[in-house]
């Protein structure tokens, strides 16, 4: 899970900010609340006095999809309460950061509820069509000719860091094999 949190800082962050993570805070080995947090400056175009943290946690909770025959749809089974372990882990880290830097939480960024964590999104969704289970080892969907998965759905859960590079590496590796074995042999 990846809850977001924001703290107010005492020094300007600058109006011209990047939109990619600028720093990582590794507290992954913390036995009570493992977290890896990315500081992603808010690209607002004006001074915000804010650092936005995206926290990757080891949430033991997992969602699942269940087929609803009446509606002929797959429904996600996930409750808001399942976010609690992720938010608690992130809060533990951010509380320590705020204390050490004499900063404080912002309560005005995530809607009218005046909360300091946004736990209603998933920044890098993973899983759903896991490599080696729903697909072969190269993303070919079992039982479907010429149907491939090449995104984060192949990864079963959190890998502890931003999964962008892992997803890219898997996609490149898989497509090379698919081109070599499926496309070239069909031609």
């Amino acid at each position: 899970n990846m809850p977001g949190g924001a703290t107010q800082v005492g020094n300007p962050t600058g109006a011209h900010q990047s939109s990619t993570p600028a720093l990582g805070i590794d507290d992954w080995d913390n036995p009570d609340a493992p977290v890896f947090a990315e500081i992603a400056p808010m690209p607002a175009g004006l001074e915000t006095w804010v650092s936005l943290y995206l926290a990757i946690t080891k949430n033991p909770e997992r969602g699942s999809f269940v087929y609803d025959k009446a509606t002929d749809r797959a429904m996600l089974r996930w409750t808001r309460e399942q976010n609690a372990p992720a938010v608690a882990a992130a809060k533990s880290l951010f509380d320590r950061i705020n204390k050490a830097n004499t900063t404080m939480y912002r309560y005005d960024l995530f809607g009218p509820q005046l909360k300091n964590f946004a736990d209603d999104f998933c920044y890098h969704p993973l899983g759903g069509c896991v490599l080696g289970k729903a697909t072969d080892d190269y993303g070919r969907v079992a039982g479907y000719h010429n149907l491939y998965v090449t995104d984060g759905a192949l990864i079963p859960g959190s890998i502890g860091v931003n999964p962008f590079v892992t997803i890219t590496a898997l996609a490149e590796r898989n497509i090379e094999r698919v081109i070599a074995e499926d496309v070239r042999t069909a031609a």
Side-chain angles (χ1 to χ4, degrees):
N1 279 33
M2 188 175 285
T7 60
Q8 183 166 337
V9 297
N11 295 316
T13 55
H16 302 288
Q17 303 174 43
S18 74
S19 60
T20 58
L23 177 70
I25 300 170
D26 186 352
D27 197 27
W28 204 241
D29 292 331
N30 181 328
D32 299 320
V35 178
F36 182 87
E38 295 177 340
I39 301 175
M42 297 177 65
L46 55 101
E47 179 54 60
T48 59
W49 298 85
V50 168
S51 291
L52 176 67
Y53 294 80
L54 301 175
I56 300 167
T57 67
K58 291 183 180 180
N59 189 340
E61 297 288 334
R62 293 284 183 256
S64 61
F65 286 97
V66 178
Y67 177 69
D68 182 345
K69 191 173 184 177
T71 62
D72 191 34
R73 295 181 65 191
M75 307 298 287
L76 175 63
R77 260 196 206 150
W78 179 264
T79 65
R80 197 63 180 270
E81 291 75 32
Q82 287 174 276
N83 292 348
V87 171
K91 186 174 182 330
S92 170
L93 174 64
F94 300 146
D95 284 350
R96 287 184 286 136
I97 289 171
N98 279 338
K99 183 176 181 179
N101 293 287
T102 62
T103 53
M104 62 187 212
Y105 288 109
R106 289 285 299 260
Y107 291 92
D108 59 343
L109 298 175
F110 299 118
Q113 299 85 7
L114 297 178
K115 59 184 184 172
N116 56 356
F117 287 92
D119 65 342
D120 54 354
F121 69 97
C122 183
Y123 204 76
H124 295 287
L126 300 172
C129 202
V130 176
L131 188 71
K133 293 186 185 274
T135 72
D136 70 1
D137 289 341
Y138 295 92
R140 297 177 184 102
V141 178
Y144 294 90
H145 182 67
N146 290 334
L147 181 60
Y148 309 94
V149 176
T150 60
D151 62 5
L154 293 171
I155 302 170
S158 176
I159 60 173
V161 296
N162 184 325
F164 168 72
V165 175
T166 303
I167 294 167
T168 302
L170 272 174
E172 289 178 0
R173 169 191 169 268
N174 293 352
I175 199 65
E176 285 178 7
R177 176 65 66 100
V178 166
I179 289 170
E181 293 182 358
D182 299 5
V183 177
R184 289 191 181 140
T185 57

